Amino acid sequence: MASFLRTASCARPCISRSIARPSSRIAIPSITAVRHRQMASAAATATISDAVEQPFFPDEPAGPIVKTAIPGPKSIEAIERLSKVFDTRSLNMMTNYEQSFGNYIADLDGNVLLDVYAQIASIPVGYNNPSLLLAARSPEMASAIINRPALGNFPQHDWADILETGILKVAPKGLHQVFTGQSGSDANELAYKAAFMWKRQHQRGGAHVDFSHGEISSSMENQSPGAPQLSILSFKSGFHGRLFGSLSTTRSKPIHKLDIPAFDWPQAPFPLCKYPLDQYAAENAAEEKRCLEETERLIKDWPLPPAAIVIEPIQSEGGDNHASPNFFKGLRELTRKHNILFIVDEVQTGVGATGKFWAHEHWGLTDPPDMVTFSKKAQTAGYYFGNDELRPNRPYRQFNTWMGDPARALLFRAIIQEIERLNLVENTAMVGEYLYSGLERLAQQYPNEVKNLRGKGQGTFLAWDSPRRDEVLKKAKTVGVNVGGSGEKAVRLRPMLIFQKHHADIFLESMEKVFKA
């Protein structure tokens, strides 16, 4: 579609069209070859805003290839085999990772799709990224994999260096410590535990005050005061994970919660804003005020007093719901007023997806969150904090065998280095503006297909509502695009940080084909 595409001389100037053959295996490059590739793409760091866009990966596929229905015959055979030993009912597509590269995901039948979903917003810098391959082949990675440390008892000698040069290098402002974990759900549950221990420590009179006999004995009976009557306040339509504690704060879909016992914890309303946000500023401000008032009422009146509130900067699984910075600033003020903690769940929004490294940077807080949880694009997990009081006052209170994974922390360090090398946060902000403009034009041309477009100014973290969402997702694969959904009717975009304008052109052109159909 000509209105969305730049001239041929600017659209894909340096992309090699000698695409790796779908029927052959992608050769894992040697160290020398990887370094040559890095040199070839290094120009992109200096030319990110040039009129002629330089591709980050010159040997990336030039575009999608669709050879068969998806799944095709080879994929169907593989799925049938897998289903005998593994639950495949949530399967999106059977992936051939040896054939996937950059922004493109391949299957077993030679289909190569532009991936604007990045698995589940969890692939940061592309499939088979050469820089990550270098990190994977390093001696310290090999040691971390085969000698995986039980970090609480037997941390490896360079663990502080790995943290300081990786995870902590990108710590949110004001948060200089980290507790590492295994997954996003785990990160949130660990943060909840830290909040409860902090709250009871304050109620008890400080870290120096020992536990009473009654606390010790009642904890073994799951009774108060050892098992205190406290809660974590979350928000309607929020998603914070599928483990027991995190699941009690998840409110996005019933299928996650059915049959699972839950804590009696409060949920506050998340603002039901109108989009675009800036065009409905007055209405949205009134709605946010209503939600803040109800949040405060729950903090004061809920039978199990909250030790913390937890919230996503953009509700993702629950439908890509946005609110203004003023709403989140209001929440921060409430937590200070009522002496509870403010936990920001950046599992999906973190690591550059919104045009800032952390999405809560858009709020302009003068008082940082107490904890920020992370996972997905970080390829590891945990929570950042700054207050020493959030360290438990005794060993083994916040503990498990692994307490994270140095191998994944090393991978995150390599991801951070790649983000810095290619200026990928800046790229995401710039490409997000371009992509949003293209979607605005599609919304004007196909108003029944693109409703409530949202995410302006939030990088490539974009979404819209579709009355035939599931059909759109399915048809997108037939034109070579892998895209995802959220909530009941939202189409959500979660491209990788290496997604560029020429990828946006392909995506927009492909979506017009879907809408026309």
Side-chain angles (χ1 to χ4, degrees):
M1 131 184 155
S3 62
F4 289 140
L5 299 177
R6 289 164 288 148
T7 62
S9 63
C10 293
R12 302 173 186 89
C14 300
I15 296 180
S16 168
R17 294 186 179 270
S18 56
I19 303 170
R21 295 171 181 80
S23 60
S24 64
R25 176 173 176 167
I26 289 180
I28 302 300
S30 65
I31 298 292
T32 301
V34 167
R35 286 178 178 149
H36 280 309
R37 260 187 199 167
Q38 288 183 322
M39 291 173 64
S41 63
T45 64
T47 59
I48 190 170
S49 59
D50 287 359
V52 178
E53 181 182 68
Q54 300 295 321
F56 292 135
F57 300 107
D59 49 356
E60 183 185 57
I65 302 170
V66 180
K67 292 185 172 182
T68 72
I70 300 174
K74 292 181 180 178
S75 293
I76 290 173
E77 182 180 354
I79 293 168
E80 289 175 348
R81 179 185 176 191
L82 179 60
S83 66
K84 296 176 182 178
V85 295
F86 188 81
D87 189 351
T88 60
R89 289 172 295 177
S90 59
L91 184 145
N92 182 308
M93 62 183 287
M94 184 63 79
T95 305
N96 183 346
Y97 289 105
E98 294 177 352
Q99 285 298 310
S100 302
F101 188 69
N103 288 278
Y104 288 87
I105 186 170
D107 69 5
L108 300 177
D109 296 280
N111 299 302
V112 180
L113 308 185
L114 178 66
D115 190 357
V116 295
Y117 195 32
Q119 305 272 309
I120 310 175
S122 53
I123 304 296
V125 291
Y127 296 108
N128 285 301
N129 180 291
S131 295
L132 301 196
L133 286 172
L134 278 177
R137 287 172 164 161
S138 68
E140 57 183 341
M141 180 68 81
S143 176
I145 291 172
I146 67 173
N147 303 304
R148 183 178 181 181
L151 287 169
N153 292 139
F154 299 94
Q156 61 191 76
H157 70 283
D158 56 350
W159 184 225
D161 180 71
I162 291 172
L163 293 176
E164 289 168 355
T165 59
I167 291 175
L168 289 172
K169 186 177 181 181
V170 294
K173 184 178 180 180
L175 310 183
H176 62 282
Q177 301 182 61
V178 68
F179 195 100
T180 51
Q182 303 295 331
S183 67
S185 298
D186 186 37
N188 284 327
E189 297 223 351
L190 291 167
Y192 300 171
K193 287 179 62 181
F196 290 135
M197 288 186 277
W198 170 86
K199 189 67 173 178
R200 286 295 293 136
Q201 183 171 288
H202 272 236
Q203 293 174 343
R204 197 177 288 117
H208 64 283
V209 180
D210 207 350
F211 309 112
S212 69
H213 173 75
E215 288 173 321
I216 293 171
S217 60
S218 62
S219 70
M220 301 307 292
E221 303 296 331
N222 294 341
Q223 299 294 321
S224 181
Q229 298 297 299
L230 296 172
S231 67
I232 301 291
L233 184 149
S234 60
F235 291 81
K236 186 175 181 179
S237 299
F239 181 88
H240 303 288
R242 297 178 176 87
L243 299 178
F244 272 100
S246 56
L247 191 57
S248 284
T249 56
T250 286
R251 312 284 187 165
S252 54
K253 294 177 184 175
I255 196 66
H256 302 319
K257 298 174 69 73
L258 286 165
D259 297 335
I260 311 300
F263 295 112
D264 186 17
W265 291 355
Q267 66 167 328
F270 191 90
L272 298 174
C273 290
K274 296 181 178 180
Y275 305 101
L277 293 177
D278 55 355
Q279 292 183 21
Y280 298 94
E283 296 96 320
N284 291 339
E287 169 67 359
E288 291 178 349
K289 181 175 181 291
R290 178 189 73 84
C291 293
L292 287 171
E293 289 172 350
E294 178 62 11
T295 300
E296 184 168 32
R297 186 191 70 79
L298 290 168
I299 291 172
K300 293 190 296 184
D301 297 343
W302 194 259
L304 308 180
I309 67 172
V310 62
I311 195 164
E312 302 159 274
I314 300 168
Q315 287 189 331
S316 301
E317 179 73 14
D320 268 54
N321 306 312
H322 293 249
S324 77
N326 285 335
F327 175 70
F328 297 102
K329 289 177 181 177
L331 290 178
R332 189 44 170 147
E333 292 172 2
L334 287 178
T335 60
R336 286 303 189 201
K337 177 180 178 180
H338 295 284
N339 194 33
I340 63 177
L341 298 180
F342 188 34
I343 303 171
V344 178
D345 179 348
E346 291 251 29
V347 167
Q348 186 159 156
T349 55
V351 192
T354 66
K356 301 281 189 182
F357 203 95
W358 302 106
H360 74 269
E361 294 175 26
H362 287 284
W363 304 341
L365 294 177
T366 57
D367 184 10
D370 294 293
M371 288 178 273
V372 173
T373 60
F374 63 94
S375 190
K376 287 197 182 285
K377 281 185 173 67
Q379 297 287 295
T380 184
Y383 65 88
Y384 294 102
F385 65 102
N387 185 353
D388 286 341
E389 291 185 357
L390 289 174
R391 287 194 180 201
N393 64 344
R394 298 286 189 278
Y396 288 101
R397 301 196 71 198
Q398 192 77 295
F399 184 87
N400 57 60
T401 298
W402 302 123
M403 294 179 69
D405 184 350
R408 292 295 165 182
L410 287 167
L411 188 62
F412 188 25
R413 184 173 71 180
I415 290 166
I416 292 166
Q417 292 168 350
E418 187 75 339
I419 290 171
E420 293 175 341
R421 184 177 75 87
L422 297 175
N423 293 328
L424 292 182
V425 177
E426 178 186 342
N427 173 73
T428 301
M430 180 190 67
V431 174
E433 291 181 7
Y434 180 83
L435 181 57
Y436 187 89
S437 296
L439 287 169
E440 277 188 316
R441 293 192 292 272
L442 274 179
Q444 293 169 3
Q445 191 171 354
Y446 301 95
N448 293 326
E449 298 286 351
V450 181
K451 299 176 178 292
N452 297 321
L453 176 64
R454 48 202 183 270
K456 185 176 183 179
Q458 301 288 319
T460 56
F461 213 92
L462 308 178
W464 71 87
D465 291 335
S466 169
R468 57 184 189 113
R469 193 270 308 280
D470 292 347
E471 182 183 356
V472 167
L473 301 185
K474 185 176 181 180
K475 285 186 176 295
K477 282 189 170 65
T478 69
V479 295
V481 172
N482 180 49
V483 65
S486 63
E488 296 180 356
K489 55 187 177 181
V491 177
R492 61 171 162 175
L493 306 188
R494 297 294 186 269
M496 303 169 210
L497 306 181
I498 58 166
F499 189 82
Q500 296 179 270
K501 289 182 179 179
H502 63 270
H503 301 116
D505 289 337
I506 293 170
F507 170 74
L508 294 167
E509 187 177 43
S510 299
M511 293 313 298
E512 186 178 31
K513 293 178 182 177
V514 171
F515 298 154
K516 283 182 175 179

